[in-house]
Amino acid sequence: MFFWSWAALWAAASSGCAVTHSGGPENIQPLSPAKAFDVQKNIIYTPKDWAVAQQADVYTPRGAGPFPAVLVVHGGGWARGSRYEMEHICKRLAEQGFVAVNIDYRLAPAHIFPAQLQDVQQAMLWMHAQAKNQKIDTQRLAVWGYSAGAQLAALLGALSPGDPNFVEGTRVQAVVAGGTPVDLRKGADSKLIRQYIGKPIAELPEPYRKASPIAFVSADDPPTFLYHGSIDWIVAEINATRMRDELERVGVPVELYIVHGVGHIGAYFNRGATDAGVDFLIRRLR
């Protein structure tokens, strides 16, 4: 999907030890015993006049709260997929004391960028508006995405006041992004990216930049945890290392967790990577 160069891909596949974890502790601490939680299904989070109503499932730890909360965004090349694919991550978050808001969003090619980002932003605004009802602490908010969802999560985290498509009230305190396409200009020959943006880059270059999280990295971005498979042939590992380097350059706390010997799907299901992401959020938000 996001082939940059065979040289870059081979370097990504050949790099590192079993796990590279830069910018944070070398050993992830065991998580706490699982807590009980409840799930609310099929909640409409978009306004009544929204173009296409979108739904969320909310995973809430039992107890008085309020709890730190994580907006969870599925992948699927922006053209398919659903919130059900992120259930394993949401359950893990809820077990560790986070409210997890697991959303659907509009899909390409029927809907092109920035429709998907706008849905994600609406979900964050809904979390603020419904904070009391959903036991959400709005001072401790994060976003977690994988693949196409990670592009949206990383972009939400990177956008600052004055940036294109920024919406007030949608900033977060932490980002977790796995298998992340960070620069859509580098993958502009991908059919999935073209249908996501709506036009080839030669005809419409600016939206490719506006959809690229790396283009909006700045010193006020939230702490970020990136995870990636070392032999990811769909989204090359260089995406993660470039994003890490750019965040480090401007002084943003960033951690990179490389899962050796697995590809795009393997990293998505990897329990160690998931637990490392949860551990990061515990350290940053709790």
Side-chain angles (χ1 to χ4, degrees):
M1 186 166 78
F2 308 108
F3 293 90
W4 286 15
S5 73
W6 285 109
L9 289 167
W10 178 251
S14 304
S15 67
C17 54
V19 172
T20 300
H21 192 205
S22 63
E26 291 298 321
N27 297 305
I28 304 303
Q29 297 300 311
L31 299 183
S32 302
K35 300 176 176 67
F37 62 90
D38 299 306
V39 185
Q40 304 167 69
K41 295 281 190 177
N42 305 321
I43 298 174
I44 296 176
Y45 69 82
T46 47
K48 291 182 179 179
D49 60 352
W50 204 243
V52 182
Q54 298 298 320
Q55 295 184 336
D57 296 339
V58 181
Y59 299 69
T60 308
R62 292 179 184 170
F67 303 103
V70 185
L71 176 60
V72 180
V73 190
H74 71 82
W78 309 281
R80 54 188 176 272
S82 77
R83 64 189 187 274
Y84 303 113
E85 297 170 2
M86 301 296 277
E87 285 183 343
H88 66 292
I89 292 173
C90 293
K91 290 175 181 177
R92 199 71 174 136
L93 286 166
E95 288 172 349
Q96 294 299 313
F98 296 90
V99 176
V101 179
N102 190 17
I103 65 167
D104 283 334
Y105 54 87
R106 284 173 286 177
L107 300 176
H111 305 279
I112 62 173
F113 179 84
Q116 296 77 9
L117 174 64
Q118 291 167 347
D119 288 347
V120 171
Q121 290 167 328
Q122 284 300 315
M124 186 57 64
L125 294 174
W126 179 88
M127 290 169 69
H128 279 276
Q130 295 296 318
K132 184 175 182 180
N133 294 336
Q134 299 296 336
K135 303 180 183 178
I136 291 172
D137 182 348
T138 58
Q139 300 303 307
R140 296 184 292 166
L141 297 176
V143 61
W144 184 318
Y146 195 81
S147 194
Q151 176 265 331
L152 293 165
L155 186 59
L156 184 75
L159 291 179
S160 304
D163 288 338
N165 297 312
F166 174 77
V167 172
E168 190 65 42
T170 60
R171 303 223 74 186
V172 294
Q173 285 71 58
V175 173
V176 177
T180 316
V182 302
D183 192 342
L184 273 61
R185 298 165 294 188
K186 298 291 186 180
D189 58 345
S190 161
K191 179 182 177 182
L192 287 174
I193 293 181
R194 287 199 308 272
Q195 70 179 12
Y196 176 45
I197 301 301
K199 294 282 186 179
I201 193 169
E203 297 180 25
L204 207 64
E206 187 59 12
Y208 285 79
R209 184 185 75 87
K210 291 179 178 178
S212 298
I214 201 167
F216 298 100
V217 168
S218 58
D220 65 346
D221 288 354
T224 298
F225 181 89
L226 304 166
Y227 63 103
H228 219 100
S230 69
I231 53 172
D232 190 333
W233 302 105
I234 297 175
V235 182
E237 183 190 336
I238 194 173
N239 283 266
T241 55
R242 279 192 67 208
M243 191 69 172
R244 177 203 59 194
D245 293 348
E246 188 65 9
L247 288 164
E248 285 183 343
R249 184 185 67 80
V250 299
V252 174
V254 57
E255 301 177 25
L256 173 59
Y257 186 103
I258 298 296
V259 188
H260 183 69
V262 305
H264 198 65
I265 303 304
Y268 163 69
F269 282 113
N270 186 268
R271 180 65 175 264
T274 299
D275 283 358
V278 175
D279 174 79
F280 171 82
L281 292 178
I282 290 171
R283 288 183 278 112
R284 290 295 173 180
L285 298 185
R286 281 193 6 211

